[in-house]
Amino acid sequence: MRRLYLQVYLTIVASLLLVVLTGGFVWHLVAGMPPFNQPFVVAGEVIGELVPPVSASVQEQQHVIDRLAARLEADLALFGANGEPIAAAGRPLPAPKRNAKSGGWLRTSAGPAVLIALPDGRWLTARLPLRQRPSPLMLIAVLGAVALAVAVAARPVARRLTRRLERLQHGVESLGAGDLAARVKVEGRDEVAQLAQSFNQAAARIESLVDTHKMLLANASHELRTPLTRIRLGLELVDAQAERKAELARDIAELDQLVDEILLTSRLDAATSLDVREEVDLAALAAEESARCEDCTVSGQPVTLRGDPTLLRRMLRNLIANASLHGRPPIEVTIEQQAGQAVLRVRDNGPVIAAEARERLFSPFYRVPGRAGTQGAGLGLALVKQIARRHGGDAVYEPERGSCFKVSLPLR
Amino acid sequence: MDECVLLIEDDTRLAGMVSEYLGKAGYRVLHADNGARGLALHEREPVDVVILDLMLPDSDGLDICRRIRAQSDRPILMLTARGDPMDRVVGLEMGADDYLPKPFEPRELLARLRAILRRSRGAAKAQDDKGASDVLRFGRLEIDLGARDVKLDGTPCPLTGYQFALLLALAQHAGRVMSRDALMDAVKGEQFEAFDRSIDVHVSRIRALIEDDPRKPKRILTVRGIGYVFAKAQD
């Protein structure tokens, strides 16, 4: 398996290699490098012909060295085969080391010098004036070319690495946004590819779970209610006291209500948007729902909004049922239009709910502690909040003289 | 009596109970436990009404409903589970005459069955007489636009022409709050009754005739500050 760090490492190594190759290539073009020792040997042969032979007098040798030094504007020194000085011109130069075998560069206090071996065993040391250093502009141009080549070559590699990560990020984001069919392309065999594969597996698992959940929801209502219907019919067919029957019928209705609320809660949880959106006259809905309840009045302004009428009806029914069950009559429902929002308030004259209980008021299966009423499973207000949120609004509790539940829904 | 009911329901125990219950009420019940058998029985037997479960093992109840409707106009009562994604609207669009959510009150099943049968007989008669098809129906209340009369549970309610126009204006906008001005506009063409001027007085008179308890109205509702609304969803 190719690992990401390996890829990074190889990228760096490849870049360095490229630097070397490019540098070498450019150098080759500019300088054209000959074999290392050759110039010294050639120089030795030439100079050997120029200087007088070993047998010549010291004056003669000194004379030739002086002439050469003047012509080359260089410091020169001629040494015997054993390193003894024979002649010198200009500033002094060090003698060749005893173990020196061939010519080469010398480092002296006055700058670099060359040591040249003559064919007859003598040594010539020369220090040329430093006039022809390689131009700094040329160096900058060479390095610039190298840097450019590295940058151009490294970019697609780095881009490939990050682009796959970006794609993966997009995939995760769209899954988070609710697109359960989101998958990413698996490229390569490294960690990023493995991550993409793991993401795809996780997404597939989530999708199948949600599908199962939806299937379950689609059938649960029917499957739970058919036996309930049987019980209800059976009750009608047996001989029993009318009172008992009525009581059992109430229990069945309560169970049915609970099934309904649980299923609706799960369905709203599973859904990402509203299935139905039509024009709804909120005041009319409120009037219809409050007619089911004693001592409940509706007032306000006409407000129509786009929403799911069944859900909004359910929300109003739950709010009014909550007020009549846990509050005290008279119940007042008001509807207003404020700053692009429909504001619905359901007030009752019951006791104000304690501050610490208010936060949990809208959580499922929560009941205010110490309240006498045991009716309801505590799903009513949770549904109210869910439905309000599904419509882009919210439901809050406002303590007034009594309790007041306020729902605000955007009009558009 | 001895009217014949075709029950298409996959739950045999429930079907047995419904058969027993309806049998006691004087109906003959034929039972089919899947859609195919139901359609076959429907073709063979002279049934008066079909009770159809929405969820069947072999096919979708809505599909069966459509196919029965294609063959005949025998009334169909659809059984659904409340909160089913298949809502009543869909069922009614597919040609069902009424729908009843499970778990239902047995007596309600009986009442709806009777209402459907009565209506289908009435419709058949009306078709013989021709016309008179424009009837608004809200639960137990019927508003006949042709004859300009109103019936509650089949009993005529003696409304004046002005009151009828007012009720009609409300009923045609069921589910919408109507302001008093809008109502005045709607009944402008009607002949004024000299002694009553206010809409509120007329509304209370209509209520006295069509509401079960005029002090707790369920059909024409008041919204303070706006006006009146005719309830869209009635029992």
Side-chain angles (χ1 to χ4, degrees):
Chain A
M1 187 185 75
R2 286 172 67 200
R3 320 212 70 189
L4 185 62
Y5 83 83
L6 214 61
Q7 284 191 26
V8 173
Y9 178 65
L10 284 177
T11 307
I12 294 168
V13 168
S15 308
L16 285 175
L17 210 64
L18 196 69
V19 169
V20 170
L21 286 177
T22 322
F25 183 63
V26 170
W27 192 252
H28 183 75
L29 281 184
V30 171
M33 212 177 240
F36 185 70
N37 243 353
Q38 211 181 342
F40 296 97
V41 177
V42 171
E45 294 287 343
V46 172
I47 294 165
E49 293 299 316
L50 286 176
V51 293
V54 189
S55 51
S57 68
V58 173
Q59 282 85 359
E60 204 176 330
Q61 296 196 33
Q62 179 68 46
H63 177 70
V64 173
I65 291 298
D66 280 340
R67 232 180 42 223
L68 277 174
R71 199 183 289 173
L72 292 170
E73 292 175 33
D75 304 325
L76 291 175
L78 188 65
F79 297 93
N82 296 320
E84 71 278 9
I86 298 170
R91 287 169 292 175
L93 282 159
K97 290 205 176 82
R98 260 176 206 287
N99 53 2
K101 285 191 181 70
S102 63
W105 287 97
L106 283 179
R107 205 174 287 161
T108 67
S109 53
V114 279
L115 175 68
I116 300 161
L118 302 189
D120 52 18
R122 285 176 297 174
W123 298 91
L124 182 80
T125 310
R127 184 162 46 207
L128 292 161
L130 294 174
R131 260 176 298 169
Q132 287 179 318
R133 275 244 171 118
S135 117
L137 268 178
M138 179 61 87
L139 192 69
I140 286 168
V142 168
L143 287 179
V146 169
L148 196 69
V150 169
V152 167
R155 195 175 177 282
V157 179
R159 197 74 200 93
R160 194 176 112 80
L161 280 177
T162 53
R163 193 178 294 144
R164 287 186 306 153
L165 283 172
E166 271 169 30
R167 270 204 284 271
L168 195 56
Q169 184 199 358
H170 282 307
V172 173
E173 273 169 5
S174 53
L175 181 77
D179 175 16
L180 296 180
R183 299 286 184 280
V184 293
K185 204 171 140 201
V186 180
E187 297 161 278
R189 281 171 295 135
D190 55 14
E191 286 97 332
V192 180
Q194 278 216 326
L195 190 58
Q197 207 159 10
S198 309
F199 165 77
N200 284 352
Q201 277 167 5
R205 179 120 182 82
I206 291 170
E207 195 181 18
S208 85
L209 276 175
V210 170
D211 281 349
T212 315
H213 185 57
K214 273 186 188 155
M215 269 289 288
L216 186 75
L217 278 180
N219 291 305
S221 178
H222 189 262
E223 295 307 322
L224 288 166
R225 275 169 170 133
T226 302
L228 268 182
T229 317
R230 277 206 301 264
I231 300 172
R232 185 67 191 84
L233 265 165
L235 186 62
E236 211 66 30
L237 294 169
V238 296
D239 286 321
Q241 291 174 357
E243 255 171 66
R244 271 287 149 72
K245 277 189 174 180
E247 215 170 283
L248 282 170
R250 262 204 307 282
D251 290 344
I252 294 169
E254 200 177 301
L255 195 55
D256 176 44
Q257 172 86 1
L258 187 59
V259 166
D260 195 37
E261 284 181 344
I262 291 173
L263 289 180
L264 187 56
T265 306
S266 336
R267 192 170 294 151
L268 286 178
D269 272 342
T272 43
S273 61
L274 287 175
D275 298 334
V276 189
R277 269 194 189 270
E278 32 186 271
E279 291 279 322
V280 179
D281 187 331
L282 205 58
L285 267 191
E288 284 187 35
E289 285 310 314
S290 60
R292 301 161 63 94
C293 175
E294 305 272 313
D295 215 352
C296 179
T297 57
V298 183
S299 61
Q301 305 164 324
V303 173
T304 47
L305 55 92
R306 290 191 66 77
D308 184 333
T310 321
L311 289 182
L312 289 174
R313 182 184 288 277
R314 187 50 180 269
M315 185 184 83
L316 276 156
R317 182 175 301 176
N318 285 6
L319 281 170
I320 293 168
N322 181 71
S324 70
L325 220 57
H326 304 295
R328 211 170 289 147
I331 301 163
E332 282 173 52
V333 182
T334 59
I335 291 143
E336 290 159 322
Q337 196 169 323
Q338 287 172 357
Q341 287 206 313
V343 179
L344 169 84
R345 282 192 177 83
V346 179
R347 293 188 179 86
D348 68 63
N349 287 292
V352 170
I353 292 164
E356 57 272 18
R358 279 174 213 160
E359 271 189 24
R360 299 196 52 207
L361 212 49
F362 292 97
S363 14
F365 296 108
Y366 178 75
R367 289 200 196 126
V368 178
R371 286 286 173 98
T374 53
Q375 273 184 295
L379 277 172
L381 288 176
L383 266 176
V384 166
K385 194 153 195 127
Q386 265 186 314
I387 294 171
R389 292 236 166 117
R390 259 298 157 266
H391 284 84
D394 202 5
V396 291
Y397 178 82
E398 286 181 344
E400 290 185 359
R401 287 167 290 122
S403 283
C404 170
F405 287 90
K406 174 185 155 190
V407 178
S408 34
L409 302 166
L411 290 175
R412 281 289 145 208
Chain B
M1 204 148 180
D2 217 82
E3 276 161 313
C4 183
V5 179
L6 172 59
L7 175 64
I8 307 177
E9 160 72 64
D10 60 321
D11 190 299
T12 44
R13 286 178 58 211
L14 177 63
M17 285 168 155
V18 171
S19 302
E20 188 183 339
Y21 184 75
L22 291 179
K24 277 188 182 172
Y27 291 91
R28 196 160 67 86
V29 181
L30 294 170
H31 171 228
D33 60 0
N34 65 37
R37 248 167 263 163
L39 280 173
L41 266 177
H42 171 258
E43 275 178 42
R44 215 170 50 228
E45 300 286 330
V47 294
D48 295 293
V49 58
V50 181
I51 300 177
L52 175 63
D53 190 16
L54 181 70
M55 294 258 210
L56 292 169
D58 61 334
S59 52
D60 187 359
L62 289 175
D63 188 43
I64 301 292
C65 177
R66 214 180 300 122
R67 285 163 71 178
I68 290 178
R69 193 40 80 243
Q71 286 175 7
S72 72
D73 50 2
R74 284 168 192 163
I76 301 169
L77 175 65
M78 204 101 173
L79 293 183
T80 66
R82 193 168 335 126
D84 260 346
M86 303 295 169
D87 207 37
R88 85 174 271 174
V89 186
V90 185
L92 294 182
E93 271 170 11
M94 292 298 156
D97 295 78
D98 202 354
Y99 101 124
L100 194 58
K102 288 178 180 179
F104 47 81
E105 290 283 323
R107 253 165 293 190
E108 188 166 6
L109 174 66
L110 209 53
R112 300 246 181 157
L113 209 56
R114 281 187 183 133
I116 294 189
L117 282 166
R118 195 178 59 227
R119 242 183 276 154
S120 84
R121 279 196 300 270
K125 220 192 317 166
Q127 257 182 356
D128 294 344
D129 302 347
K130 111 176 197 323
S133 54
D134 274 348
V135 177
L136 293 177
R137 207 167 273 117
F138 296 91
R140 291 152 51 211
L141 190 75
E142 278 177 25
I143 304 172
D144 189 331
L145 279 77
R148 289 181 73 83
D149 69 357
V150 176
K151 282 181 190 148
L152 183 63
D153 287 330
T155 318
C157 306
L159 293 175
T160 66
Y162 190 78
Q163 286 163 357
F164 181 83
L166 197 59
L167 177 63
L168 190 60
L170 280 163
Q172 279 170 336
H173 298 93
R176 295 253 159 200
V177 185
M178 298 282 284
S179 67
R180 288 177 181 76
D181 288 342
L183 285 172
M184 288 290 263
D185 272 353
V187 297
K188 209 156 46 186
E190 291 298 321
Q191 208 176 353
F192 240 90
E193 272 133 65
F195 38 92
D196 312 313
R197 288 190 321 275
S198 123
I199 292 278
D200 302 284
V201 175
H202 284 292
V203 166
S204 61
R205 298 235 166 106
I206 300 171
R207 275 177 178 162
L209 289 166
I210 67 163
E211 295 284 358
D212 299 321
D213 180 355
R215 279 165 304 165
K216 288 179 198 149
K218 303 265 191 230
R219 296 193 170 86
I220 301 177
L221 314 169
T222 310
V223 181
R224 220 151 25 87
I226 315 179
Y228 295 101
V229 56
F230 192 83
K232 206 176 190 175
Q234 300 185 4
D235 33 50

